[in-house]
């Protein structure tokens, strides 16, 4: 039987929305993280989340929903990376580093503007306890879209991850699979930024996936376990945040990293 304090936590509309948001994001971020690690796109995952900062700050200045600023920031970052990548003298990672560093610096300058709202921390670290019903619906819709996209691209992503050299013989173009994964990553980043901010969301994407890759062997099991671990991290982080009165987003990120650390203690298993 739940304690009075726990019952009070669950009866609060604010906490109910926060728990639902954490579950929704975990179900999408966990499986996505597996593909990001298998296709070695962890750097892109971290970069996209940082590159959206100018869009977030501009949205805060304009008084429009942060999700619109996040979407605009991601689109600008993607366009800049694609433009820099056209120069054969610069490698892909160099292009990402140049664009992301520039955008993050611009976001920092905008954030220091006198007109910027004082609650900048919400842009960087999110505000799960400030989620509205509209934010929850938007995150749920985007997360469902992410899961549908990952299911549709399962064959292409699998071939690209485990048989990239022979994928074209199967009618699969690895470059398109990479692009599709980055597009799904961008959508997930937009969905998660309201709750976790642009600095912490990458922990929920990568940490549970890293643990799942070490704890399970078959790919479907890895994907399911990663989603479960991400949800557990979200729920545990919110409970710890409530009990200790600390930041919710940071608590979730720490729980995700803790689960990842426990998973890494086991020798890595191969994926057949």
């Amino acid at each position: 039987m739940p304690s009075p304090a726990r019952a009070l936590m669950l009866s609060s509309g604010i906490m109910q929305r926060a728990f639902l948001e954490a579950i929704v994001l975990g179900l999408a971020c966990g499986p996505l993280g597996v593909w990001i690690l298998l296709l070695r796109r962890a750097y892109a995952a971290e970069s996209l989340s940082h590159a959206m900062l100018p869009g977030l700050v501009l949205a805060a200045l304009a008084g429009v929903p942060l999700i619109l600023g996040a979407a605009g920031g991601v689109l600008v970052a993607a366009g800049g990376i694609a433009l820099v990548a056209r120069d054969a003298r610069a490698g892909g990672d160099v292009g990402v580093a140049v664009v992301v560093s520039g955008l993050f610096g611009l976001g920092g300058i905008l954030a220091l503007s006198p007109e910027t709202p004082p609650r900048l921390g919400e842009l960087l670290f999110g505000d799960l306890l400030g989620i509205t019903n509209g934010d929850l619906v938007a995150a749920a819709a985007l997360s469902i879209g992410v899961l549908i996209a990952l299911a549709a691209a399962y064959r292409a992503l699998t071939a690209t991850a485990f048989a990239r050299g022979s994928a074209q013989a199967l009618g699969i173009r690895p470059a398109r699979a990479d692009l599709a994964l980055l597009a799904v990553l961008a959508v997930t980043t937009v969905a998660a930024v309201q709750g976790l901010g642009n600095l912490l969301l990458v922990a929920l994407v990568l940490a549970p996936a890293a643990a799942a890759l070490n704890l399970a062997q078959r790919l479907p099991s890895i994907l399911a376990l990663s989603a479960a671990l991400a949800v557990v991290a979200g729920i545990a982080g919110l409970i710890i945040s409530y009990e200790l009165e600390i930041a919710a987003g940071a608590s979730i990120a720490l729980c995700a990293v803790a689960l990842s650390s426990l998973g890494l203690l086991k020798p890595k298993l191969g994926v057949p």
Side-chain angles (χ1 to χ4, degrees), residues 139-168:
L142 290 173
S143 296
I144 291 173
V146 166
L147 292 175
I148 292 174
L150 290 177
Y154 182 87
R155 179 172 175 270
L157 292 173
T158 303
T160 303
F162 300 111
R164 192 179 189 95
S166 56
Q168 291 207 11

Side-chain angles (χ1 to χ4, degrees), residues 17-29 143 227 230-231 234-235 238:
R17 287 191 294 272
F19 276 112
L20 288 174
E21 178 88 353
I23 292 170
V24 164
L25 294 179
L27 291 174
C29 290
S143 296
V231 170
I235 293 174
L238 281 173

Side-chain angles (χ1 to χ4, degrees), residues 232-257:
V232 168
I235 293 174
L238 281 173
I239 293 174
I240 292 173
S241 169
Y242 182 85
E243 297 290 348
L244 301 182
E245 298 183 356
I246 58 178
S251 298
I252 291 175
L254 288 174
C255 286
V257 173

